Amino acid sequence: MLAIDGLVGWTLIILALVAMGFTLAAAAAIAPGPGPLRRRKPGRMPVTLLKPLYLAEPGLEENLRSFFLQDYDGPVQIVFGARSWSDPALKVVEKLRGAFPAADVAIVVNSRLSGSNPKVANLINMVAHARHEMLVMSDSDIRVQPDYLS
């Protein structure tokens, strides 16, 4: 066993202990998982889904239902847009609204055509009704899994 003599020996031991303390503190600071001093992650960012509609294509109800069934830990608004109140896709949306009364849903019907592309014009008309900064756009023929927004 080594004998520790003098000021130099004790200084080296103290420096080694300080270095180990810094190493442990750094490891604790970058370790994954919640810790008592780390800020806990708040709920997820609020999201507005933009769903332009045109007619009632096959599978529309199931496609749209998949967006109502999102497993997302944050506010979700769904904005549906159509160019006419007579669009049959709106009947499907009303049915789903009845099945999911707590869902945050907006329906925008506006025939104004901004530009030459009807879908883009529909989106332009809808975006003014979005309540959240994060926008997710998808066509009405898309069906997603419950973790789509996550």
Side-chain angles (χ1 to χ4, degrees), residues 97-109:
R97 254 180 132 173
F100 298 93
D104 183 2
V105 174
I107 297 174
V108 178
V109 177

Side-chain angles (χ1 to χ4, degrees), residues 37-59:
L37 299 178
R38 282 188 211 90
R39 292 190 325 179
R40 300 203 187 281
K41 186 166 81 172
R44 295 198 184 254
M45 175 179 279
V47 174
T48 295
L49 298 170
L50 300 176
K51 301 296 288 183
L53 303 171
Y54 182 69
L55 304 177
E57 69 256 3

Side-chain angles (χ1 to χ4, degrees), residues 11-78:
T11 302
L12 291 175
I13 289 175
I14 291 171
L15 286 174
L17 291 173
V18 168
M20 284 192 309
F22 280 125
T23 302
L24 291 173
I30 64 170
L37 299 178
R38 282 188 211 90
R39 292 190 325 179
R40 300 203 187 281
K41 186 166 81 172
R44 295 198 184 254
M45 175 179 279
V47 174
T48 295
L49 298 170
L50 300 176
K51 301 296 288 183
L53 303 171
Y54 182 69
L55 304 177
E57 69 256 3
L60 178 64
E61 184 174 344
E62 293 80 14
N63 296 342
L64 298 181
R65 181 182 303 276
S66 71
F67 287 90
F68 281 87
L69 295 172
Q70 285 301 295
D71 183 16
Y72 186 72
D73 187 26
V76 177
Q77 176 196 28
I78 307 174

